[in-house]
């Protein structure tokens, strides 16, 4: 699992004022869960933000932003932002805040139930 610790610490600092933040390893990186919902993650030298799918296309047009592709599927509402465009605190805050705004209305991920084995 490779991710930029400096970038992780910058995101941590941006989220430290919130009461319900958890860190989980997923998607080959570190993900910050806010109110039990995926919000911001760090993978290698970029951050992943869960944003409003309605503004997704507009945000993709910005410099240093690319879609999140999981397997062969494009995950609408999830973008990766290169550290190269996050030099200033204001730049990082823009993306973190965009993710936090959507987090308030985002649906929680349904937890999968493990199937019980049946014995005859």
């Amino acid at each position: 699992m490779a991710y930029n610790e400096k970038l992780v610490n910058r995101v941590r600092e941006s989220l430290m004022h919130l009461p319900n933040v958890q860190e989980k390893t997923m998607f080959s990186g570190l993900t910050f869960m806010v109110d039990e919902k995926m919000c911001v993650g760090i993978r290698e030298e970029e951050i992943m933000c869960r944003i409003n799918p309605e503004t997704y296309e507009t945000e993709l047009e910005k410099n240093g932003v690319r879609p999140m592709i999981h397997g062969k599927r494009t995950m609408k509402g999830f973008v990766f932002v290169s550290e190269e465009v996050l030099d200033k605190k204001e730049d990082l805050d823009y993306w973190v805040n965009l993710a936090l705004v959507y987090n308030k209305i985002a649906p929680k991920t349904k937890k999968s139930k493990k199937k019980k084995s049946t014995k005859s």
Side-chain angles (χ1 to χ4, degrees):
M1 190 170 10
Y3 51 83
N4 181 320
E5 286 290 341
K6 182 179 175 186
L7 194 52
V8 166
N9 288 331
R10 290 179 65 202
V11 172
R12 253 187 214 123
E13 187 175 303
S14 293
L15 298 173
M16 65 188 279
H17 67 283
L18 300 171
N20 192 11
V21 178
Q22 297 173 332
E23 296 179 19
K24 292 189 176 188
T25 54
M26 54 177 33
F27 299 118
S28 301
L30 185 71
T31 300
F32 290 89
M33 308 288 286
V34 177
D35 295 326
E36 299 180 22
K37 296 180 265 184
M38 190 182 324
C39 188
V40 178
I42 296 85
R43 187 174 77 180
E44 297 177 4
E45 303 297 321
E46 56 190 356
I47 64 171
M48 179 277 304
C49 298
R50 183 181 184 196
I51 63 173
N52 193 326
E54 292 178 16
T55 61
Y56 171 78
E57 297 293 335
T58 302
E59 299 302 337
L60 273 178
E61 295 174 10
K62 295 186 173 149
N63 189 33
V65 180
R66 66 180 182 89
M68 178 179 175
I69 299 172
H70 188 63
K72 293 183 181 182
R73 188 172 146 219
T74 299
M75 306 294 288
K76 189 170 180 180
F78 291 85
V79 295
F80 282 109
V81 183
S82 172
E83 182 185 30
E84 294 172 1
V85 297
L86 301 172
D87 286 339
K88 298 176 189 167
K89 182 179 181 337
E90 297 82 30
D91 298 329
L92 178 66
D93 287 347
Y94 173 82
W95 291 102
V96 170
N97 289 329
L98 200 62
L100 287 171
V101 165
Y102 182 63
N103 185 267
K104 292 177 184 176
I105 61 170
K108 287 188 179 183
T109 304
K110 295 177 183 174
K111 294 182 181 180
S112 61
K113 295 179 181 178
K114 293 182 180 179
K115 293 181 180 179
K116 294 180 181 179
S117 61
T118 54
K119 295 182 181 179
S120 308

